[in-house]
Amino acid sequence: MNRIALVALTAAVVPTSALAQAYQCTAPARLPPARPVEPDGPTRRAVTSWYTLALSWSPEYCRGELARRPANAMQCGGANGRFGFVLHGLWPEARRGPPPQWCALTLRPRPETIRRNLCMTPVPWLIEHEWAKHGSCMAKSPEGYYRVAGILWHALRFPDTDHLSRDPALTTGALRQAFVAANPGWRADAVGVTTSRTGWLRELHLCYSRRFRPMPCPRGSFGPPDSAPLKIWRGL
């Protein structure tokens, strides 16, 4: 990302804090050896038209088999903190067709870059993966990519998801409205939601223009309609 775009981004958001999403988060004393990132598709370059900031609901991710995998120990084990929303990734998107991906595989995040971002993305291998698959198509370095992602992340505030989860009549629209109420300047049609097949919250997909301002999510990124019933696994 060039200097002009970064200045525009900083002006577009006011850093506050990602409120109460990492509870007493501490990085582990030792990080596991970084495994090589293996592409899951071809290199694809395309002009970036907009961005998705994908935020995973950690309690849903960590319930079941995934919580027992060693690679997920920091996020799901509880010894390094407990997590609400965490950053899955910042994704450049194309106006039409599939998004750019896997633009550079030789440059990898430095260990200090991984450690610095672990309370935002508490999975070391995912930090490597998101840079290689998505970040390399929008920034010149992993440090630049995670600097941009961090600015967006720290500008967000989150609704009381625990309170929402206790509403038996909760809908997807109610979650969108709660997010907008916590983030003045946002609009409900810029908040995409993804759920499991049985209606449990999995992720928020926040849609940004090329100038990193909230924009209506294109069709296919918005998720279930506002009227859809929604369940939120607490697990905290």
Side-chain angles (χ1 to χ4, degrees):
M1 173 162 295
N2 62 37
R3 180 179 177 83
I4 295 176
L6 185 58
V7 169
L9 167 59
T10 305
V13 295
V14 179
T16 54
S17 77
L19 184 63
Q21 295 306 302
Y23 303 91
Q24 300 179 338
C25 173
T26 57
R30 299 180 63 182
L31 296 179
R35 67 186 188 188
V37 175
E38 297 183 2
D40 58 3
T43 296
R44 188 166 55 231
R45 292 180 171 84
V47 175
T48 298
S49 179
W50 57 286
Y51 297 92
T52 296
L53 191 72
L55 310 175
S56 294
W57 179 240
S58 190
E60 176 66 22
Y61 178 80
C62 289
R63 68 168 167 161
E65 179 185 354
L66 289 174
R68 296 188 291 273
R69 295 182 180 178
N72 294 325
M74 180 174 175
Q75 181 175 354
C76 302
N80 299 104
R82 302 183 69 84
F83 299 89
F85 283 106
V86 296
L87 178 68
H88 180 168
L90 174 61
W91 306 336
E93 307 281 6
R95 182 179 299 276
R96 296 183 180 86
Q101 63 176 19
W102 303 114
C103 294
L105 294 176
T106 56
L107 189 60
R108 301 178 64 181
R110 298 194 295 262
E112 55 266 33
T113 300
I114 294 175
R115 180 173 292 277
R116 187 183 309 120
N117 290 287
L118 279 175
C119 288
M120 181 172 69
T121 301
V123 187
W125 69 262
L126 184 60
I127 292 175
E128 291 244 12
H129 176 274
E130 291 300 294
W131 152 253
K133 184 171 184 178
H134 304 287
S136 63
C137 296
M138 60 170 282
K140 295 181 179 180
S141 69
E143 291 69 35
Y145 172 65
Y146 279 105
R147 181 180 179 192
V148 172
I151 290 173
L152 296 176
W153 168 258
H154 290 291
L156 298 174
R157 289 187 176 270
F158 293 91
D160 185 343
T161 316
D162 180 80
H163 176 75
L164 290 171
S165 72
R166 299 176 190 276
D167 181 358
L170 182 66
T171 63
T172 303
L175 174 61
R176 290 188 175 109
Q177 290 298 332
F179 181 87
V180 169
N183 293 273
W186 274 83
R187 42 191 293 173
D189 60 3
V191 183
V193 177
T194 70
T195 63
S196 70
R197 288 179 295 177
T198 52
W200 291 93
L201 173 66
R202 295 182 65 184
E203 292 196 331
L204 295 181
H205 285 183
L206 306 181
C207 300
Y208 293 84
S209 71
R210 289 188 64 183
R211 292 183 61 82
F212 293 101
R213 297 184 183 276
M215 60 166 272
C217 292
R219 181 175 298 182
S221 298
F222 187 65
D226 285 347
S227 59
L230 181 67
K231 297 176 287 186
I232 300 176
W233 182 260
R234 290 190 294 275
L236 294 176

